């Protein structure tokens, strides 16, 4: 392992300044992504700025939203009673992610910034990776792709954004507060990530030295229900093959309002607006659920290893809608 | 007939805790990774990034200026070594770094030695190697360099006639993927030379094999090589071969004149210490209306590396499980530019059983017969159908019956896709299984001390199965002692030679060696009894050890305290050696039977999203005499978890173009986790085996065999869809 400098600032400005001043510096939160990348030799910063001493941990409950400090751990957020009551799908997505040990280390800010699990990205002996080295090609497209994306991708990069919790967060229009060299700004999550087919080497809109300080999560209105369905090969401790986060409000047999996002399929957490529009204000109808899913998948780009995900994603969404509307198949 | 040893039964069988448990849980058990020696340097292996071709240039001089780097070995400066001796078990290693040729992606091409592991790792990362790549042979169905016979072909009767005579026929192709052994303990070693004497602390499953190979390669006498493996973080077969990493460490230590430590990384564990190779099986079965098998044909192919032999064993169980007059097996191995394969828990049987027991289920379905009845109708329990000789024991029918009872098999609705629970389809499947008998030579020395305690010593290894404990129990019974009075020392090649821990052979081999040693010890003690002794003139089998005394077996009041016998001859200790003896009497005409089993599984499948969960497993094993109930149960339980992994998850993938392991980390290669494993009911049936005095059979591997087929058969019962390729994943199950 390569030697690096280690800073442990206690103030946000200090941390931002430390990273901003050194192009080879990176923030370190729980380290569950960052340290892996260093061990694999994919990203070997000369300086790590440990942000875990910054006063950014904890949850403030307001009437319409939660203000979640970026250093709040996945377990802490899942344990917040208001999350269970008003954001059930956020809690479910958190608890279906990683393992207890990881969730006790992993921060919510770090979760949004986790890097793709693509094994070609994470193995520096593989030369073709447009995400790691621009214009070098994409090894995944021609080799083993299963845990890869089918939406927001093309033959230049099929990297998946594998976060679970980001899926319901994008569905409820959460946003992040960022402190950077140029001051503070708010970025809605729907505008936070950059799709691989819009440029494989840029993952999000943050600049060097930008620090996420807070995640603001609007609470679902009273009378809404929500749920997260994660489909994966083994029962626990694995990323999603496909997942669906759904929040909706029923009015008798009518879907009065609905929010949908899909995981396991996109180069970014995937807000399924086409599906929302097709279902909003319509009666509960299993056939329509499937059509809504198909509409989202219309733009899918697949390779042999990921082709099954088109159908699986449609079924995952349908199943979750069936469960939440208690409709018969 | 070999007399079953009568003195086993006080401690043997009891589920006592592992004797080495406290060392393990307090972190005081020294594994190879814990060994630190003064002046020790750290070595890191660099591996090739092409699968075929040669090295044109390695720029190692640039590394020597980096902090801490002491040496870089490549094919240009690594010592030329002798061709390795073929040992009893494990393929002879390919000597690393002897020339520029590359035979697979991930081959050892350089060794960086530095003051710290961090410095060595960083330098290894920076090493620049120029290759002349050639197109690799990677596709088993493509152009082949060489096809080797693996297990010998077998044939009895006339399979064509059996096929023609059958009322019902099935035939299909079944596949299993590459699996990686992946013991939790990373493998590695520390090698140190003192003149021409080499000592190596390693993670091998066989200390003696490693000694022989290193002595031969480095041209030193076997007495000059000492291998130490007191603890081993598992192996599942990965520790059977004497892999190149050890040779590299020993070579570097000799060249540099200091101790060298080399620990593999987890990704390297996927490339440098073997795997269960992919296999493909064509199985044809024919049966009469009543279910009697008229023929079995099993043709199998697996893969190996260019310079490597075959692992084989895919068809090894097929001729022996079922009573059928017409059986043929053919097995081949294709060599490709792929990494070295090896034995992985239940090698060959785990794959071959998947194919044959799935085919049996297909046959039962075609016959309209209960799969359990088809097994009961055909299992060969009295005699080995291949030789016609009696089995030394075989309780496979009892395994099936007891398993069916515990599982509630009779309540199963035989129609596929007949049982629903809400969104779920429920299925139940079963499989029968056997595991071949294998029992290589072991020797042991038993020493009794004047203070009444005893020691057993053998070069065996405890791979984590419980060898320390079971041999302590055997010796305690034979010596009439409490287990705490017996110290079993192992894992040192300077002790009496022993078989490796592998092939489920060690428990039998070593327990019989201890029985033999104690018998000799009784003889030695009797020789100390003077003419006035009540024991004078008795034979070793006429006496037993009880409560610190040697007693007449038929009259325990006739006794001599062992301490007195020793003192009377001026001895403070007395030792005797023993070894596994060939079978005697009637056992000579028997076929040595190994373990049998029957597996019963219930699965729940959500066909909409392809989700499968194993809900229930009943696993019944005929393991002969069970030496320790608790450890035996753990072996079967762990093997069941492995079987679930084989059925549903484990799949080492190779990049089709480059031959690189595509998923060589625990994040990408899935093994079963707790949430995948339901309650597993473990039962044992059968009698002590008649082949050896200990009555034991190995149970380290049988527990895995049959699990995958039982799961696959349950999937068919649940859904009506037949899975023939492992692992059975979500995409196969969406309906
Ligand atoms: C084995 C394994 C299994 C996993 N399974 C799942 C799963 O099933 N579902 C799932 O959703 N996730 C899963 N994860 C991912 C895990 O959730 C993330 O690694 C974790 O959330 C990252 O948080 P961290 O605090 O450890 O971040 P770090 O590793 O410390 O940081 C991640 C990245 O973000 C940057 N960073 C961190 N905090 C900030 C901040 N506040 N502002 C700006 N930059 C920042 C760091 O520089 C780094 O580049 C898994 C991870 C592992 C290792
Ligand atoms: S999918 Fe993207 S991250 Fe993976 S190899 Fe291709 S370019 Fe790199």
């Amino acid at each position: 392992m390569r030697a690096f400098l280690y800073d442990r600032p206690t103030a946000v400005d200090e941390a931002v300044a430390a990273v901003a001043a050194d192009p080879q510096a990176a923030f370190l939160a729980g380290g569950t992504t960052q340290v892996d990348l260093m061990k694999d030799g994919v990203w070997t910063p000369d300086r790590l700025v440990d942000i875990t001493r910054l006063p950014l941990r904890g949850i403030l409950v307001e009437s319409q939203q939660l203000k979640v400090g970026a250093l709040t751990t996945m377990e802490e957020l899942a344990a917040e009673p208001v999350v269970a009551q008003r954001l059930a799908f956020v809690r479910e997505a958190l608890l279906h992610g990683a393992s207890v040990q990881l969730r006790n280390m992993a921060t919510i800010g770090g979760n949004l910034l986790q890097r793709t699990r693509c094994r070609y990205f994470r193995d520096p002996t593989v030369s073709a990776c447009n995400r790691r080295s621009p214009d070098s090609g994409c090894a995944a497209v021609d080799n083993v792709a299963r845990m890869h994306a089918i939406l927001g991708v093309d033959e230049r990069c099929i990297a998946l954004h594998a976060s679970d919790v980001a899926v319901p967060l994008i569905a409820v229009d959460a946003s992040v507060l960022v402190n950077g060299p140029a001051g503070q700004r708010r970025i809605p999550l729907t505008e936070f990530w950059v799709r691989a087919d819009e440029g494989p080497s840029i993952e999000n809109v943050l600049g060097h030295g930008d620090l996420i300080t807070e995640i603001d999560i609007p609470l679902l209105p009273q009378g809404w229900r929500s749920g997260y369905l994660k489909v994966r090969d083994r029962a626990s401790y694995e990323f999603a093959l496909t997942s669906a986060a759904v929040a909706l409000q029923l009015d008798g047999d009518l879907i009065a309002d609905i929010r949908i996002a899909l995981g396991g399929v996109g180069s970014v957490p995937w807000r399924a607006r086409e599906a929302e529009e097709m279902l909003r204000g319509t009666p509960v109808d299993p056939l329509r659920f499937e059509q809504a899913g198909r509409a989202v998948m219309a733009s899918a780009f697949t390779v042999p290893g990921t082709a099954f995900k088109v159908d699986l994603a449609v079924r995952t969404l349908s199943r979750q809608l069936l469960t939440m509307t208690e409709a018969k198949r | 007939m070999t007399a079953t040893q009568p003195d086993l039964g006080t401690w043997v069988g009891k589920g006592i805790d592992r004797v080495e448990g406290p060392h393990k849980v307090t972190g005081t058990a020294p594994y190879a990774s814990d060994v630190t020696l003064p002046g020790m340097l750290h070595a890191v292996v660099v591996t090739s990034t092409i699968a075929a071709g040669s090295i044109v240039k390695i720029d190692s001089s640039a590394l020597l200026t980096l902090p801490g780097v002491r040496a870089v070995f490549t094919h240009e400066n690594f010592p030329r070594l002798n061709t390795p001796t073929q040992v009893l078990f494990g393929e002879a290693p390919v000597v690393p770094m002897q020339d520029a040729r590359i035979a697979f992606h991930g081959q050892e091409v350089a060794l960086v030695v530095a003051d710290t592991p961090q410095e060595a790792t960083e330098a290894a990362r920076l090493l620049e190697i120029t290759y002349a790549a050639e197109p690799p042979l990677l596709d088993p169905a493509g152009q082949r360099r060489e096809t080797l016979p693996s297990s010998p072909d077998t044939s009895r009767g006339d399979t064509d006639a059996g096929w023609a005579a059958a009322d019902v026929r099935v035939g299909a192709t079944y596949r299993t993927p590459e699996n990686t052994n992946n013991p939790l303990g990373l493998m590695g070693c520390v090698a140190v030379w003192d003149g021409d004497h080499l000592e190596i602390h390693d993670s091998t499953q066989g200390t003696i094999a490693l000694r022989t190979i290193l002595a031969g390669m480095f041209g030193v006498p076997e007495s000059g090589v000492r291998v130490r493996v007191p603890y081993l973080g598992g192996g599942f077969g990965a520790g059977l071969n004497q892999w190149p990493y050890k040779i590299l460490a020993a070579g570097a230590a000799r060249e540099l004149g200091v101790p060298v430590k080399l620990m593999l990384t987890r990704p390297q564990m996927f490339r440098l210490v073997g795997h269960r190779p992919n296999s493909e099986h064509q199985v044809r079965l024919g049966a009469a209306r009543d279910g009697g098998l008229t023929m079995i044909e099993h043709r199998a192919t697996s893969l190996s590396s260019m310079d490597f032999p075959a692992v084989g064993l895919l068809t090894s169980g097929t001729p022996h499980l079922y009573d059928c007059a017409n059986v043929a097996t053919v097995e081949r191995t294709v060599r490709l530019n792929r990494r070295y394969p090896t034995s992985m828990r239940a090698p060959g049987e785990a794959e071959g059983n998947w194919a044959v027991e799935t085919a049996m289920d297909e046959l039962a379905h075609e016959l309209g017969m209960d799969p359990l009845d088809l097994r009961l109708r055909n299992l060969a329990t009295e005699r080995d159908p291949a030789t016609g000789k009696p089995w030394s024991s075989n309780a496979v029918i009892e395994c099936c019956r007891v398993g069916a009872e515990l599982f509630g098999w009779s309540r199963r609705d035989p129609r596929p896709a007949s049982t629903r629970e809400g969104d779920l389809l429920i299925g139940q499947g079963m499989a029968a299984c056997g595991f071949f008998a294998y029992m290589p030579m072991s020797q042991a020395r038993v020493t009794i001390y004047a203070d009444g305690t005893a020691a057993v010593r053998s070069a065996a290894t405890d791979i984590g199965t419980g060898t320390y404990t079971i041999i302590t129990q055997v010796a305690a019974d034979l010596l009439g002692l409490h287990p705490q009075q017996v110290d079993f020392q192992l894992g040192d090649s300077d002790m009496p030679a022993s078989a490796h821990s592998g092939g489920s052979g060690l428990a039998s081999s070593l327990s019989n060696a201890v029985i033999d040693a104690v018998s000799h010890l009784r003889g030695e003690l009797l020789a100390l009894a003077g003419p006035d002794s009540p024991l004078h003139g008795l034979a070793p089998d006429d006496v037993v050890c009880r409560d610190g005394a040697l007693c007449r077996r038929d009259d325990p009041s006739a006794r001599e305290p062992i301490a007195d016998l020793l003192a009377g001859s001026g001895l403070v200790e007395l030792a005797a050696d023993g070894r596994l003896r060939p079978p005697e009497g009637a056992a000579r005409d028997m076929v040595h039977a190994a373990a049998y089993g029957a597996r019963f599984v219930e699965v729940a499948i959500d066909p909409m999203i392809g989700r499968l969960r194993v809900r229930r497993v009943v696993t019944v094993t005929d393991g002969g005499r069970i030496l320790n109930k608790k450890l035996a149960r753990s072996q079967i339980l762990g093997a069941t978890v492995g079987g679930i992994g084989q059925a549903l998850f484990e799949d080492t993938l190779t990049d089709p173009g480059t031959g690189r392991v595509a998923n060589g980390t625990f994040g990408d290669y899935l093994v079963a986790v707790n949430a995948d494993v339901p309650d597993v009911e473990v039962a044992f049936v059968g009698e002590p085996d008649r082949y050896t005095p200990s009555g034991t059979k190995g149970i380290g591997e049988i527990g895995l065999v049959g699990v995958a087929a039982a799961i696959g058969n349950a999937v068919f019962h649940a859904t009506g869809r037949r899975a023939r390729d492992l692992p059975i994943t979500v995409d196969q199950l969406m309906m």
Side-chain angles (χ1 to χ4, degrees):
Chain A
M1 183 181 274
R2 173 150 154 204
F4 56 87
L5 296 168
Y6 175 74
D7 293 343
R8 203 158 66 188
T10 50
V12 167
D13 292 349
E14 246 181 276
V16 169
V19 170
D22 182 348
Q24 298 302 321
F27 293 117
L28 176 72
T32 62
T33 287
Q34 183 62 47
V35 175
D36 274 3
L37 293 172
M38 292 167 68
K39 284 196 213 162
D40 285 343
V42 182
W43 186 18
T44 52
D46 290 337
R47 177 190 299 271
L48 274 188
V49 178
D50 183 345
I51 57 174
T52 55
R53 276 19 176 220
L54 304 185
L56 299 176
R57 189 164 180 174
I59 303 164
L60 188 67
V61 182
E62 297 183 342
S63 62
Q64 305 293 326
Q65 65 169 1
L66 297 181
K67 289 172 170 280
V68 181
L71 294 172
T72 308
T73 67
M74 291 169 73
E75 275 295 306
E76 286 164 352
L77 184 57
E80 166 59 48
V82 174
V83 174
Q85 291 151 18
R86 302 281 297 277
L87 292 165
F89 64 172
V90 171
R91 180 169 189 276
E92 290 167 16
L94 285 165
L95 294 181
H96 284 116
S99 64
V100 177
Q101 293 88 334
L102 280 159
R103 295 195 300 264
N104 277 326
M105 284 301 289
T107 64
I108 194 74
N111 187 294
L112 303 179
L113 291 169
Q114 62 179 276
R115 306 293 293 272
T116 183
R117 309 302 299 186
C118 174
R119 208 49 234 159
Y120 304 93
F121 170 79
R122 287 179 179 242
D123 181 348
T125 71
V126 174
S127 49
C129 174
N130 287 328
R131 176 150 289 202
R132 193 164 20 81
S133 16
D135 300 322
S136 60
C138 171
V141 167
D142 300 321
N143 284 294
V144 177
R146 178 173 171 85
M147 308 304 290
H148 285 78
I150 55 175
L151 295 175
V153 296
D154 57 26
E155 68 292 338
R156 290 172 301 163
C157 178
I158 53 171
L160 176 74
H161 195 287
S163 169
D164 284 298
V165 69
V167 181
L169 289 184
I170 204 166
V172 289
D173 288 319
S175 58
V176 291
L177 269 187
V178 174
N179 259 53
Q184 198 180 62
R185 66 192 197 278
R186 172 180 301 280
I187 309 169
L189 284 187
T190 45
E191 291 161 28
F192 182 75
W193 290 287
V194 178
R195 295 161 48 145
D197 57 358
E198 288 167 0
S201 62
I202 306 158
E203 292 180 34
N204 56 53
V205 299
L206 292 186
H208 186 70
D210 278 345
L211 179 76
I212 299 179
T213 54
E214 188 177 293
I215 295 99
D216 291 346
I217 315 175
L219 298 174
L220 287 170
Q222 299 287 357
W224 282 59
R225 54 176 85 168
S226 72
Y228 185 69
L229 175 62
K230 181 172 179 178
V231 178
R232 46 184 161 178
D233 282 314
R234 66 182 176 194
S236 164
Y237 199 15
E238 197 200 352
F239 291 94
L241 288 169
T242 57
S243 70
V246 176
L248 55 74
Q249 187 192 25
L250 285 177
D251 179 1
D253 203 22
L254 215 64
I255 298 173
D257 201 358
I258 186 161
R259 282 149 181 268
I260 301 173
L262 302 179
V265 289
S267 58
V268 303
W270 202 263
R271 181 76 181 266
R273 289 198 196 274
E274 308 91 316
E276 291 176 5
E277 273 151 34
M278 284 177 70
L279 296 172
R280 188 174 295 118
T282 67
V284 169
D285 172 6
L287 205 66
R288 233 183 142 73
F289 294 168
E290 197 184 318
Q291 287 163 353
R294 296 248 168 257
V296 183
M297 291 300 137
S299 62
F301 171 88
T302 62
V303 295
T306 57
F308 77 100
K309 282 190 166 189
V310 173
D311 201 21
L312 185 61
V314 173
R315 287 157 174 255
T316 305
L317 176 58
S318 291
R319 162 53 60 77
Q320 186 57 12
L321 288 165
L322 290 168
T323 307
M324 291 183 54
T325 58
E326 286 153 24
K328 290 277 165 290
R329 199 180 176 190
Chain B
M1 189 206 302
T2 298
T4 295
Q5 170 52 235
D7 299 329
L8 305 177
T10 306
W11 292 102
V12 162
K14 282 209 167 63
I16 67 167
D17 291 343
R18 290 170 185 272
V19 298
E20 83 287 14
H23 291 299
K24 284 186 172 165
V25 298
T26 56
T28 52
Y31 293 82
S33 57
D34 297 316
V35 174
T36 298
L37 300 175
M40 183 176 86
L41 298 178
H42 296 266
V44 167
V45 181
V46 182
T47 59
S48 70
T49 54
I50 61 163
S54 57
I55 301 165
V56 176
K57 184 164 175 271
I58 299 192
D59 188 8
S60 49
S61 58
L63 296 195
L64 293 168
T65 60
L66 293 174
V69 175
R70 297 303 185 95
V72 180
F73 292 99
T74 68
H75 66 283
E76 287 165 356
N77 63 344
F78 191 69
R80 297 291 168 262
L81 301 174
N82 301 332
T83 307
T85 325
Q86 182 64 49
V87 289
L88 193 62
F89 193 90
E91 297 74 22
V94 175
V95 191
M97 290 179 2
Q98 300 292 295
D99 55 40
R101 196 170 146 264
I102 303 294
F104 64 94
H105 191 289
Q107 177 184 320
E108 301 85 347
V109 290
L111 188 75
V112 179
V113 187
D115 291 336
T116 67
Q118 290 79 5
E119 288 162 338
T121 303
E122 177 61 9
R125 193 172 73 82
L126 297 174
L127 183 61
E128 283 192 16
I129 304 176
T130 315
Y131 297 99
E134 288 163 19
L137 299 182
L138 291 168
D139 179 4
Q143 183 198 2
R144 292 170 181 191
R145 189 178 104 158
E146 213 180 334
T147 301
L148 311 167
S150 346
S151 298
D153 296 353
T154 71
S155 163
R156 64 176 184 258
D158 180 345
T159 46
D160 287 339
W163 184 253
D167 295 321
V168 175
R169 304 178 180 97
V170 295
T173 300
Y174 307 89
R175 290 184 192 84
T176 68
E178 178 173 328
N179 289 169
T180 304
N181 308 50
N182 267 323
L184 200 54
L186 295 174
M187 297 196 148
C189 65
V190 178
V192 55
W193 289 84
D194 180 2
D196 264 352
H197 185 281
L198 167 66
E199 184 158 319
I200 182 163
H201 304 259
D202 186 41
S203 331
T204 183
Q205 290 172 234
T207 57
I208 300 298
L210 180 55
R211 177 184 81 188
T212 306
I213 279 174
L214 289 177
M217 281 186 152
F218 286 94
V220 297
E222 287 213 30
S223 60
V225 177
R226 185 172 184 191
V227 179
R228 316 273 307 260
V229 190
Y231 289 92
L232 175 57
F236 307 123
L240 287 173
N241 282 65
Q242 307 311 336
W243 301 110
Y245 80 82
K246 315 169 192 208
I247 301 159
L248 291 174
R254 186 173 217 189
E255 293 297 301
L256 299 172
V258 290
V260 170
K261 182 170 194 168
L262 191 165
M263 293 304 301
L264 299 181
T265 63
R266 181 58 61 188
Q268 289 177 336
M269 293 288 288
F270 280 85
R271 284 174 274 152
L272 303 184
V273 293
H275 60 268
R276 185 196 300 285
N278 305 57
S279 71
E280 189 175 297
H281 308 250
Q282 275 98 37
V283 179
R284 292 199 305 158
L285 302 177
R289 254 299 137 226
D290 68 357
L293 286 165
T294 59
M295 67 85 77
I296 302 172
E297 185 185 77
H298 185 182
R299 297 173 168 275
T301 311
S302 75
L303 305 182
S304 188
S305 192
M306 275 302 169
D307 304 320
F308 218 60
V311 174
L313 303 173
L314 297 170
T315 56
S316 58
T318 309
H320 306 287
L321 196 59
Y322 293 111
D323 210 347
C324 174
N326 308 306
V327 179
T329 65
V330 177
E331 189 174 328
R332 296 289 179 271
T333 297
V334 177
R335 279 180 164 169
L336 297 173
N337 288 111
R338 293 173 66 117
R339 49 216 167 265
Y340 307 133
T342 194
S343 293
M344 176 168 161
R345 201 173 196 175
E349 288 272 18
E351 302 98 298
N353 179 281
W354 154 251
V356 173
E357 286 300 293
T358 308
M360 285 293 281
D361 202 68
E362 301 205 36
L363 181 65
H365 181 68
E366 293 300 321
L367 282 163
M369 193 170 176
D370 187 302
L372 174 66
D373 292 338
L374 180 64
R375 285 0 182 260
L376 295 175
R377 168 78 179 68
N378 288 289
L379 284 164
T381 53
E382 296 299 323
R383 289 170 182 279
D384 170 21
T387 58
K389 291 185 180 181
W391 290 116
S392 56
S393 61
N394 184 326
V396 66
I397 293 273
E398 208 184 334
C399 290
C400 289
R401 289 198 196 285
V402 169
E405 184 63 36
L406 291 171
F407 188 80
W409 183 261
S410 61
R411 292 191 293 278
R412 172 182 183 266
D413 181 336
R415 293 165 305 152
S418 58
T419 311
R420 267 190 177 271
E421 272 180 33
D423 292 328
L424 302 178
L425 295 170
I426 311 301
Q428 300 180 332
M430 60 89 54
C433 59
F435 190 77
F436 52 81
Y438 169 78
M439 196 171 57
M441 174 56 68
S442 281
Q443 293 164 253
R445 177 169 306 145
V446 176
T447 307
I448 190 115
Y449 297 92
D451 67 358
T453 64
V456 181
R457 295 184 176 88
S458 174
T461 54
D462 184 340
I463 193 176
T465 48
T467 311
Y468 269 115
T469 311
I470 57 172
I471 294 302
T472 301
Q473 288 172 276
V474 167
D477 273 359
L478 296 171
L479 296 167
L481 296 175
H482 189 280
Q484 283 176 355
Q485 295 170 290
V486 178
D487 184 14
F488 177 31
Q489 300 169 6
L490 54 62
D492 183 342
S493 66
D494 277 3
M495 294 177 181
S498 162
H500 45 270
S501 44
S504 298
L506 186 63
S508 288
S509 166
L510 194 54
S511 59
N512 284 301
V514 171
I515 288 171
D516 188 51
V518 174
S519 169
H520 291 165
L521 185 65
R522 288 195 303 262
E524 295 279 342
L525 286 168
L526 280 172
L528 304 181
D532 304 336
S533 164
L535 305 181
H536 184 71
L538 294 178
D541 284 349
D542 300 335
V543 291
V544 288
C545 299
R546 292 268 157 76
D547 305 321
L550 195 65
C551 319
R552 272 186 84 115
R553 188 177 286 283
D554 55 7
D555 175 12
S557 69
R559 64 200 294 274
E560 288 277 12
I562 291 171
D564 292 357
L565 286 173
L566 294 180
S569 298
L571 292 166
V572 293
E573 64 173 56
L574 191 61
D577 285 3
R579 63 185 155 92
L580 172 68
R581 298 281 167 185
E584 289 170 13
R588 275 198 299 240
D589 299 320
M590 293 178 182
V591 176
H592 186 194
Y596 292 94
R599 319 284 170 235
F600 294 80
V601 169
E602 181 173 300
V603 301
I605 294 170
D606 184 334
M608 187 173 180
I609 53 173
R611 180 185 276 168
L612 183 160
R613 297 288 180 257
V614 178
R615 295 221 294 200
R616 218 149 57 84
V617 179
V618 171
T619 171
V620 187
T621 302
D622 163 19
R625 189 200 298 278
I626 298 302
L627 296 173
N628 180 311
K629 258 188 263 176
K630 184 176 179 176
L631 290 169
R633 179 173 178 278
S634 294
Q635 279 305 297
I636 301 297
L637 211 54
T640 304
V641 175
I644 292 173
Q646 184 201 13
L648 303 179
F649 311 118
E650 298 196 38
D651 188 0
T652 312
L653 297 163
T654 298
D655 286 342
T658 61
R660 166 186 166 275
V661 179
N663 58 343
T665 76
F666 272 159
D668 301 273
Y669 179 89
L670 303 186
V671 297
V673 295
N674 273 333
D676 297 305
V677 182
D679 272 348
V680 178
E681 188 165 350
V682 178
F684 291 97
V685 298
E687 300 287 323
D689 182 64
R690 296 178 295 171
Y691 201 74
T692 67
S694 74
T696 46
K697 310 193 199 186
I699 52 162
E701 291 165 285
I702 183 71
L704 197 148
V705 188
V707 175
I711 292 174
N713 295 339
V715 168
F716 176 76
H717 182 234
T719 64
R721 188 186 288 188
R722 180 63 66 183
R724 298 194 180 93
D725 293 350
L726 294 180
I728 306 167
T729 49
V730 169
D731 31 328
Q732 286 187 48
L733 294 170
M734 285 196 290
M735 272 162 240

